[in-house]
Amino acid sequence: MSKLPTPAERLRSLLAAAGSLTLHVPGGRCDLIGAHRVEAGRILLDKPDVVPLEPEVAAVLELTDIVPTPTRARVRARATFAGWLGESAGGVMVLDLAEATLQDPAYGADSEISVDPADFAAAAPDPLAEVEADLLCHLDASHPGAIDRLARLIPPHHLHGVRRIVPVRLDRYGVVLRLEFAARARDVRLPFPTPLDKPEEAGERMQELYARARCCRGGH
């Protein structure tokens, strides 16, 4: 099985890439646009009006991750962060995280993974988290020939009946292509020879995949 980010790393990556979150507190909810960040493993929020003026407030943050490229079933993952909001200096709210959960088909169909707050705090986001969407859209829109080359790394019997191939994930461990059939879809991960450590290495890793594809057909 190809290596995946840990669930804690995936949650950190989702927060790093997300432009918005939904906040639920007793008696209200609101959408936070560009109002969150993670520092030293803590989730910080610009204080929204919906939060009551109390020392600590029970709160739940929800996040939905969408495939940035045009494909079916565009929800890639859902994440929930539950705990207590308390006010810090400068009107910034800090979530004292009690529980975090991840739903992502890459870790098993219909699975909900619970992540320990300490593991979340210790994890780091993927190096490509904040640029993944731009890189995937560029690959899909500007380099259709590259997708065809990458498809050579997929066993031929998996390609029977495929109508379209779309890149749907990119992280330090590799790229994921979605094989779209008439009535279903299948995701295939193509691992990099070695994980990357910084965004600038993405081009080099993709070239390594293209080189492998030139030397084989369908993994043979």
Side-chain angles (χ1 to χ4, degrees), residues 55-136:
E56 285 193 339
V57 178
V60 175
L61 289 171
E62 294 180 341
L63 181 162
T64 300
D65 179 49
I66 304 295
V67 177
T69 46
T71 184
R72 289 177 259 162
R74 295 189 65 191
V75 174
R76 288 194 301 189
R78 299 183 191 275
T80 302
F81 307 88
W84 293 268
L85 274 179
E87 189 165 356
S88 183
V92 175
M93 305 295 291
V94 179
L95 181 67
D96 182 9
L97 187 62
E99 181 182 23
T101 59
L102 170 68
Q103 291 178 293
D104 188 330
Y107 297 84
D110 301 321
S111 65
E112 182 173 279
I113 302 171
S114 180
V115 175
D116 186 270
D119 292 337
F120 171 83
D126 188 87
L128 298 180
E130 296 185 45
V131 298
E132 181 203 17
D134 289 341
L135 291 175
L136 284 175

